[in-house]
Amino acid sequence: MNAHDPKAGSLEQRLRAIGAERYHDKHPFHDMLHNGRCTPDQVRAWVINRWAYQAAIPMKDAAFLSRCDDPQMRREWRSRIEDHDGGVDEGGGIRRWLKLAEAVGLDPDYVASGRGVLPATQFAVDAYVRYVRDMPLLQAVASSLTELFAPSIHERRIEGMLKHYDFANTESLSYFRKRLTEAPKDVKFGLAWVLEHADTPEKEDAACEALIFKTNVLWAQLDALWGAYVEPGRIPPGAWRPGEGMA
Amino acid sequence: MNAHDPKAGSLEQRLRAIGAERYHDKHPFHDMLHNGRCTPDQVRAWVINRWAYQAAIPMKDAAFLSRCDDPQMRREWRSRIEDHDGGVDEGGGIRRWLKLAEAVGLDPDYVASGRGVLPATQFAVDAYVRYVRDMPLLQAVASSLTELFAPSIHERRIEGMLKHYDFANTESLSYFRKRLTEAPKDVKFGLAWVLEHADTPEKEDAACEALIFKTNVLWAQLDALWGAYVEPGRIPPGAWRPGEGMA
């Protein structure tokens, strides 16, 4: 650590500072969502677009496994896929997300088809999958560390949604409830791994860059949602329009 | 052609209809830009972000060449790289773009660094490069056919900018002037190739999908610009802020 370095501080402090500055809990869309100021169609647009992200997570983690030559690390990491995909017949985060879709009046098959997702959302999500597939393992792991900041937003979301929206109940919000225990387990492993392997200043910088990249992936999704469905509310050609995809 | 097919029509008609519906000349940002309603900082934001796209075009075309095993086709296609990159010492579209950057008061080195580009812009641009690298050759070629619609937007841009902005002159707008002759040459080859090789209904559909994908890439860039610098004008963390990167 260099006293002249404006980025001085432990790597963990630097990573947490990135979250404090850039994590998407700071985006005003979440403020609207959690405080009951979203219209039903704005909630639906969020559910449809956030599906693109949820659906890509197991592919992202499979891309990670596909390039990880340490069996023990693969064993630790594999539960992420299991958590999201669930079993052949039931369970898993993406099935829980579709429960939320049903609860807000959407046809879960429409949501699962990915039709209507904003192109900007898909570009951001695809960028994340490819980042994890293509970048050095350190950055691939570090990009997952937004989960450091996820439990508190999920807690606020559950509380705010139960208070403000009729569709919110134990079943429809089960995705978030489950993440409260899954995310800390995942991130504990990921953070320890990054802190151990980022053993030069260059690698520390690379880990921070990876986390910034990931916060950009999340932020860009909410900006796209805002532009299409809040302000100016200009829906790009081909994206979901209110009334489509209803159950 | 099937009379019951709602998409009936020749492939060329279908491709042109996609442009008529989805090309970014329909985006209100271009209306602002061409009619002198952009502030100097909004023009700068456009120049900085559109750089990300310009800078990626030669890489996109190199990705195309890297997977094209027909020498004659590579010879036809290679001029695209030459047109954009220019020679070792001078010429080329990306140097001309930096002339525009200078003319609007930006430091061309800042623009060329790509710092300050909106993450959403970069995600869209990267999606395009990867599409051309990964998809079947037919889709890779078809995705270039937005150039069918480019000359008319460039003509309007040159005329509108000369009329409305002090920085506009022959040198600063040379990028667009040059594209008036380059784009038709490129697209003539690309269109003929697609019409010849899309010889089944499935391939026709794939070519149309590719062009829709590309229109999404362009549209998403202007939506991102609008959200950050027009309405609501919320600049994402880390992106260019007025005052930065000036000459």
Side-chain angles (χ1 to χ4, degrees), chain B residues 226-244:
Chain B
W226 192 279
Y229 300 106
V230 182
E231 184 190 16
R234 181 173 48 245
I235 302 170
W240 179 75
R241 291 178 178 274
E244 290 173 5

Side-chain angles (χ1 to χ4, degrees), chain A residues 34-36 157-166 168 173:
Chain A
H34 301 162
N35 289 296
R157 181 168 299 157
I158 292 167
E159 187 189 334
M161 287 187 137
L162 284 173
K163 188 166 163 190
H164 295 293
Y165 299 101
D166 289 344
L173 300 187

Side-chain angles (χ1 to χ4, degrees), chain B residues 42 46 63 77 111 141-142 149 162 207 235:
Chain B
Q42 286 169 337
W46 172 70
W77 203 270
V111 174
V141 177
F149 323 117
L162 284 173
I235 302 170

Side-chain angles (χ1 to χ4, degrees), chain B residues 121-224:
Chain B
T121 301
Q122 198 64 55
F123 296 148
V125 166
D126 290 351
Y128 182 37
V129 176
R130 284 156 164 158
Y131 187 91
V132 171
R133 194 173 65 202
D134 296 343
M135 292 295 277
L137 218 56
L138 176 66
Q139 284 94 311
V141 177
S143 69
S144 74
L145 296 183
T146 44
E147 301 219 336
L148 281 170
F149 323 117
S152 79
I153 196 176
H154 286 159
E155 277 171 16
R156 269 175 288 156
R157 182 169 298 155
I158 292 169
E159 187 189 333
M161 287 186 137
L162 284 173
K163 188 167 163 189
H164 294 295
Y165 299 101
D166 289 342
F167 67 80
N169 59 39
T170 307
E171 187 182 23
S172 62
L173 300 187
S174 62
Y175 174 84
F176 307 109
R177 185 83 63 188
K178 201 87 164 90
R179 292 304 296 158
L180 290 179
T181 50
E182 290 168 351
K185 174 194 64 169
D186 292 345
V187 82
K188 189 178 169 199
F189 176 83
L191 178 62
W193 196 93
V194 167
L195 295 181
E196 183 185 341
H197 289 79
D199 52 8
T200 68
E202 290 74 19
K203 288 186 195 169
E204 290 197 359
D205 288 351
C208 291
E209 288 296 323
L211 186 56
I212 288 173
F213 165 83
K214 173 65 175 303
T215 58
N216 287 343
V217 165
L218 297 173
W219 192 275
Q221 291 176 62
L222 295 183
D223 270 358

Side-chain angles (χ1 to χ4, degrees), chain A residues 177-188:
Chain A
R177 185 83 63 190
K178 201 87 164 93
R179 293 303 297 159
L180 290 178
T181 51
E182 290 168 351
K185 175 194 65 171
D186 292 344
V187 81
K188 188 177 170 199

Side-chain angles (χ1 to χ4, degrees), chain A residues 22 28 223 226 231-232 234 236-237, chain B residues 22 28 223 226 231-232 234 236-237:
Chain A
R22 291 167 170 265
D223 269 357
W226 192 279
E231 185 189 15
R234 181 174 46 245
Chain B
R22 292 168 169 263
D223 270 358
W226 192 279
E231 184 190 16
R234 181 173 48 245

